């Protein structure tokens, strides 16, 4: 199957369409694809969208190259404000961020995310970097989960440590999640697009990327996936979207599939 | 009477750091981390440090763990950003060699905020009750009742470091500092800590600060020592002055992943009398190419 775009470019376009004109989004480390999605949205249907680019503190970064570190101060190029960490944490607690991009080293059926440890916490098989801002999935409006891989070691039946809470334990979630917070509402991986629109908030396949199918995505997932009734291929980027993505990504990082 | 200069050598300034000290360093990820001061801690052979990292960092913690300087780490995010997991941190935790206080970004930030403001503790809405953090850190997360609403809330304790290390682009001899990367949380960590050591790329006259006081990012009143440290954030970046040295970071990561960080420390840190000495051994053309004024 021949495509004139990469899966990364497809993902950026898919993310862009999920964003709204009145969103205030935040994205963290290793996030070229969501970054491109945010900037594409600003240049198409969401000119009033604001976004924070990770540790650089940049609001509305227009950096001329995609650098490998979100915390790189070069991301301040073209930005309108350098956000101190105090502001970022205030925005996270109060739900001013309408969208927060998060990820994990394990993600389970209900969108719970683990960044701490694989295996027994006291004697981990893999020690992760830590929880950072994942608890804020209970206080920002919508959590978009973004991962760069998709395999049964990442998508597990139950995470070994809950850093960020998804939709399991609905009574606890109702008691402790902030009233405006919806938890994980969207997940994108290199294989497909998912939501949590099931009665029990379990992860559901909404569309699969080129070369994939319901069966192939299920085979790479460590739990039984729900499937949307209208599941189908992830819509390809339009010519206009692709042109803008390649202006943002002049160095071709996404095109190379990074 | 003369105003007293705070300018010292790194060794003089860091003589203040005792074994077992609770220590914090400024910066975010690989930007503005006071690496020259951290390397001097390795040279001095300080032991049993309790590390309070800013909420997203890693290289300096990984280096101190490899140098056997560390007893305990407060963890929000310890990693090498685009290079992935921090190898020495990961190995030490998996082997049970260091103590961990398992926390996150707001817990460290507001713990420092509490210390900076003299508050007995900070209180959060109960979002942490949806995570496993209170289960593994019951000494940090205490569920209490909001006296105004009767709802459950979570209290976290203050964090007061003994020593705070911060790197900036410019400082004067009285401790005023200017970060060209803007404010991240240096204002809070300097207020939270008992003793502050500032390193700077360049020592400038106080008139530079008084000409533009709204630009000063660290007021000298909070600072105890000033150290002149050109390339003091190397191999990380100093915003507005130089970028990070990618090949050197990759080299570090290779040493660290193969558990040979001691060889790295011998080559670049322990066998050098001072950080000037270390920086002088890096290829000058490569260093110059990292500088923004070289472009």
């Amino acid at each position: 199957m021949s495509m004139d775009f990469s899966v990364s470019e497809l993902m950026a376009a898919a993310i862009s369409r999920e964003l709204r004109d009145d969103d205030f989004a935040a994205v963290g480390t290793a996030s070229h694809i969501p970054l491109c999605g945010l900037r594409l949205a600003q240049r198409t249907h969401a000119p009033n969208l604001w976004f924070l680019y990770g540790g650089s503190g940049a609001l509305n970064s227009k950096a001329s190259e995609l650098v490998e570190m979100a915390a790189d101060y070069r991301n301040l190029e073209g930005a309108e404000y350098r956000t101190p960490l105090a502001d970022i944490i205030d925005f996270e607690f109060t739900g001013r961020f309408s969208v927060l991009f998060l990820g994990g080293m394990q993600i389970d059926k209900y969108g719970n995310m683990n960044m701490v440890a694989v295996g027994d916490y006291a004697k981990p098989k893999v020690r992760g970097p830590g929880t950072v801002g994942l608890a804020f999935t209970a206080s920002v409006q919508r959590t978009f989960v973004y991962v760069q891989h998709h395999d049964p070691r990442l998508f597990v039946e139950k995470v070994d440590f809950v850093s960020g809470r998804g939709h399991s334990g609905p009574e606890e979630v109702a008691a402790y999640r902030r009233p405006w917070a919806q938890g994980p509402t969207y997940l994108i991986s290199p294989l497909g697009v998912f939501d949590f629109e099931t009665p029990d908030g379990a992860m559901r396949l909404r569309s699969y990327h080129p070369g994939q199918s319901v069966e192939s995505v299920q085979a790479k997932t460590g739990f039984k996936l729900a499937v949307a009734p209208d599941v189908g291929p992830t819509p390809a980027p339009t010519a206009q979207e692709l042109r803008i993505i390649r202006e943002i990504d002049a160095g071709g990082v996404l095109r190379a599939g990074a | 009477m003369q105003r007293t200069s705070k300018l010292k050598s790194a060794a003089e300034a860091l003589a203040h750091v005792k074994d077992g000290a609770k220590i914090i360093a400024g910066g975010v990820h690989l930007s503005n981390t006071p690496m020259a001061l951290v390397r001097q801690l390795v040279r001095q052979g300080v032991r049993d440090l309790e590390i309070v990292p800013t909420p997203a960092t890693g290289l300096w913690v990984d280096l101190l763990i490899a140098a056997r300087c560390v007893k305990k780490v407060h963890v929000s995010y310890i990693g090498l950003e685009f290079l992935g997991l921090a190898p020495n941190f990961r190995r030490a935790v998996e082997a049970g060699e260091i103590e961990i206080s398992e926390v996150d970004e707001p817990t460290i930030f507001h713990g420092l905020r509490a210390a900076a403001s003299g508050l007995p503790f900070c209180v959060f809405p109960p979002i942490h009750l949806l995570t496993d953090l209170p289960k593994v850190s019951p000494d940090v997360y205490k569920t209490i009742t909001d006296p105004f609403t009767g709802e459950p809330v979570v209290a976290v304790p203050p964090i007061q470091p003994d020593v705070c290390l911060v790197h900036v682009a410019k400082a004067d001899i009285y401790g005023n500092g200017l970060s060209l990367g803007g404010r991240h949380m240096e204002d809070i960590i300097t207020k939270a800590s008992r003793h502050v050591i500032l390193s700077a790329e360049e020592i400038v006259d106080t008139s530079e600060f008084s000409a533009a006081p709204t630009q000063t990012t660290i007021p000298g009143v909070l600072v105890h020592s000033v150290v002149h440290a050109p390339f003091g954030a190397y191999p990380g970046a100093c915003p507005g002055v130089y970028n990070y040295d990618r090949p050197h970071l990759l080299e570090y990561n290779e040493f660290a992943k193969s558990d040979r960080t001691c060889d790295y420390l011998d080559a670049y840190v322990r066998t050098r009398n001072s950080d000037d000495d270390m920086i002088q051994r890096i290829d000058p053309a490569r260093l110059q190419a990292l500088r923004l004024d070289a472009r």
Side-chain angles (χ1 to χ4, degrees), chain B residues 251-281:
Chain B
E251 184 185 354
Y252 174 83
N253 197 34
E254 283 311 308
F255 274 111
K257 280 199 293 194
S258 56
D259 204 4
R260 292 185 297 124
T261 314
C262 275
D263 295 344
Y264 172 91
L265 291 169
D266 285 343
Y268 288 107
V269 183
R270 288 188 180 124
T271 51
R272 307 294 181 226
N273 300 322
S274 69
D275 221 67
D276 287 346
D277 189 20
M278 177 212 165
I279 295 297
Q280 278 164 18
R281 315 259 172 143

Side-chain angles (χ1 to χ4, degrees), chain B residues 61-63 65-66 86-93 98 252 256 259 261:
Chain B
V61 183
D62 201 63
L63 191 83
I65 289 172
N88 290 298
F89 166 72
R90 180 184 168 182
R91 244 189 324 269
V93 180
I98 52 174
Y252 174 83
D259 204 4
T261 314

Side-chain angles (χ1 to χ4, degrees), chain A residues 50-66:
Chain A
W50 290 73
F51 75 95
L52 167 79
Y53 196 23
S56 72
L59 278 197
N60 291 349
S61 170
K62 291 175 195 66
S64 52
E65 60 175 318
L66 295 187

Side-chain angles (χ1 to χ4, degrees), chain B residues 152-206:
Chain B
V153 290
V154 174
V156 299
I159 303 172
Q160 183 172 44
D162 298 314
V163 182
C164 173
L165 313 177
V166 176
H167 186 71
V168 290
K170 293 182 181 186
D172 70 5
I173 60 173
Y174 306 116
N176 295 303
L178 172 67
S179 164
L180 297 174
R183 286 184 179 81
H184 189 63
M185 62 179 299
E186 293 69 28
D187 48 346
I188 290 156
I189 67 175
T190 48
K191 278 191 287 185
S193 303
R194 292 190 174 92
H195 188 95
V196 177
I197 301 169
L198 187 66
S199 62
E201 294 295 322
E202 193 185 346
I203 305 297
V204 299
D205 194 83
T206 303

Side-chain angles (χ1 to χ4, degrees), chain B residues 38-264:
Chain B
V38 168
R39 285 187 286 261
Q40 183 60 28
L41 286 177
V42 174
R43 284 185 201 100
Q44 288 180 206
V46 182
R47 310 282 290 186
D48 295 331
L49 294 176
E50 179 175 343
I51 305 276
V52 184
T54 49
T57 186
L59 178 64
W60 70 281
V61 183
D62 201 63
L63 191 83
L64 286 174
I65 289 172
R68 308 233 158 243
C69 300
V70 177
K71 184 179 182 193
K72 178 175 179 178
V73 182
H74 297 243
V75 178
S76 161
Y77 171 98
I78 306 290
L80 300 182
E81 235 265 6
F82 66 95
L83 293 172
L85 299 173
N88 290 298
F89 166 72
R90 180 184 168 182
R91 244 189 324 269
V93 180
E94 289 171 9
E97 290 170 0
I98 52 174
E99 292 173 34
I100 294 295
S101 175
E102 192 73 53
V103 290
D104 70 349
E105 174 188 278
T107 308
I108 288 186
F109 178 86
H110 280 290
L112 292 160
R113 157 58 72 205
S117 302
L119 308 178
F121 51 83
C122 265
V123 190
F124 296 158
I127 61 170
H128 289 87
L129 300 180
L130 294 173
T131 75
D132 283 338
L133 292 173
K135 287 176 202 150
V136 299
S137 300
D139 53 330
V140 175
Y141 298 96
K142 304 285 188 194
T143 304
I144 59 173
T145 301
D146 181 334
F148 302 103
T149 65
E151 296 293 321
V153 290
V154 174
V156 299
I159 303 172
Q160 183 172 44
D162 298 314
V163 182
C164 173
L165 313 177
V166 176
H167 186 71
V168 290
K170 293 182 181 186
D172 70 5
I173 60 173
Y174 306 116
N176 295 303
L178 172 67
S179 164
L180 297 174
R183 286 184 179 81
H184 189 63
M185 62 179 299
E186 293 69 28
D187 48 346
I188 290 156
I189 67 175
T190 48
K191 278 191 287 185
S193 303
R194 292 190 174 92
H195 188 95
V196 177
I197 301 169
L198 187 66
S199 62
E201 294 295 322
E202 193 185 346
I203 305 297
V204 299
D205 194 83
T206 303
S207 60
E208 279 205 28
F209 288 95
S210 53
T214 58
Q215 304 299 306
T216 306
T217 51
I218 294 174
V221 68
L222 299 172
V223 174
H224 298 82
S225 305
V226 178
V227 174
H228 184 210
F231 279 97
Y234 180 89
C238 183
V241 186
Y242 49 86
N243 296 328
Y244 55 92
D245 186 349
R246 193 172 201 279
H248 190 98
L249 290 170
L250 291 175
E251 184 185 354
Y252 174 83
N253 197 34
E254 283 311 308
F255 274 111
K257 280 199 293 194
S258 56
D259 204 4
R260 292 185 297 124
T261 314
C262 275
D263 295 344
Y264 172 91

